Each structure stands twice: as structure tokens, then as C-alpha cells.
Amino acid sequence: MSVDAKYTTSATASGGGRDGQTELEDGSMALQLVVPKEMGGPGGDGANPEKLFALGYSACFLGAMRVASKETGIAVPEGSTVTATIGIGPRSEGGFGITAALDAYLPGLDEADAKKLVDTTHNICPYSNAIKASVDVKTTTRG
């Protein structure tokens, strides 16, 4: 599969990786990274790859929902939100893996339409497409 990238960006991590820093190439954002206590680190203020993934996935999925709305004819209700919950831990096969869950709040949308919209979005969203083969993403809807 090929992708005709219309936009690219780069970030550089330095220091210890999960306990260092990361900065966008254009300087618009730089973050201190910290290992969560649950993973043997000090915890505290700071970002980590899972927090960054949750931020990106939730925003991307909500944006892709606007595209899915045109495809399905189901309007995205005003006040809709998407919450992405990302986890990390050891895999039974060795190494580490991630878990992902998406909760779409679609006020006033009936259950069938909400499910159709979220399912269609899941097939459009670049984050969903990027992890399809390796992560079973759980989706829920609320209205």
C-alpha cells in the first residue's frame, strides 16, 4: 500500500528516550518526558509516548468522523468528543504492546447511527489504519 503524504512533520527525542525530551522540528512544541510510576519510573509531571498517542488518536479520530459523516450521511452532533485510552505493557509473545480504546460521545444520536458512524470512522482514521494489524481497538459510543 502506498500513501501520498500531503503533510509531514518530524520530532526528535533526546536524553534517555522515555525520560528525556522531545521537540518538534519547527520548535512549536517541546516536552519533557517522564516514565510513569507503573512502569518503574518516577512519575510526575511530563509526557510519555502513550500520552502523546492518546492526544493524537483522539483528535485524529474526531477529525476523521467529519469525513465519515459525509460518507454515511449521519451528522456529527455539536458537542461530540472522542476519548482515547492508551495502555502499555508486556506482551505474552515477548516485548511490549499497546492497548487502545475509543469512547465517542455523540449527544442525541441514536445507537444504530452512532455505531455506524464510529465503525465507518474506524475504517477512515489514519491512526486506526496504522495499528489495525497489531492492536484490537475497543470502541464505545455514548449519546
Side-chain angles (χ1 to χ4, degrees):
M1 172 190 68
S2 66
V3 175
D4 179 19
K6 301 298 184 192
Y7 170 79
T8 62
T9 189
S10 297
T12 300
S14 59
R18 285 182 165 271
D19 59 356
Q21 304 83 30
T22 189
E23 182 175 359
L24 290 173
E25 67 177 339
D26 65 4
S28 64
M29 185 183 305
L31 297 169
Q32 183 65 39
L33 301 173
V34 64
V35 178
K37 285 184 181 182
E38 298 86 348
M39 300 220 26
D45 292 339
N48 62 51
E50 293 70 40
K51 287 180 179 181
L52 299 173
F53 189 76
L55 287 166
Y57 200 179
S58 62
C60 188
F61 199 87
L62 186 56
M65 197 175 290
R66 308 287 180 202
V67 176
S69 173
K70 292 175 185 167
E71 188 173 304
T72 61
I74 301 168
V76 178
E78 187 68 32
S80 293
T81 62
V82 173
T83 301
T85 302
I86 304 298
I88 184 173
R91 294 175 355 124
S92 58
E93 301 85 357
F96 288 86
I98 62 170
T99 61
L102 298 169
D103 180 54
Y105 173 62
L106 304 165
L109 205 57
D110 71 57
E111 189 174 328
D113 282 348
K115 180 171 177 15
K116 182 176 181 180
L117 184 59
V118 166
D119 289 348
T120 302
T121 302
H122 196 43
N123 287 318
I124 291 170
C125 177
Y127 275 61
S128 292
N129 285 324
I131 65 173
K132 264 184 190 166
S134 60
V135 179
D136 181 23
V137 179
K138 309 286 186 224
T139 59
T140 57
T141 58
R142 297 177 293 119

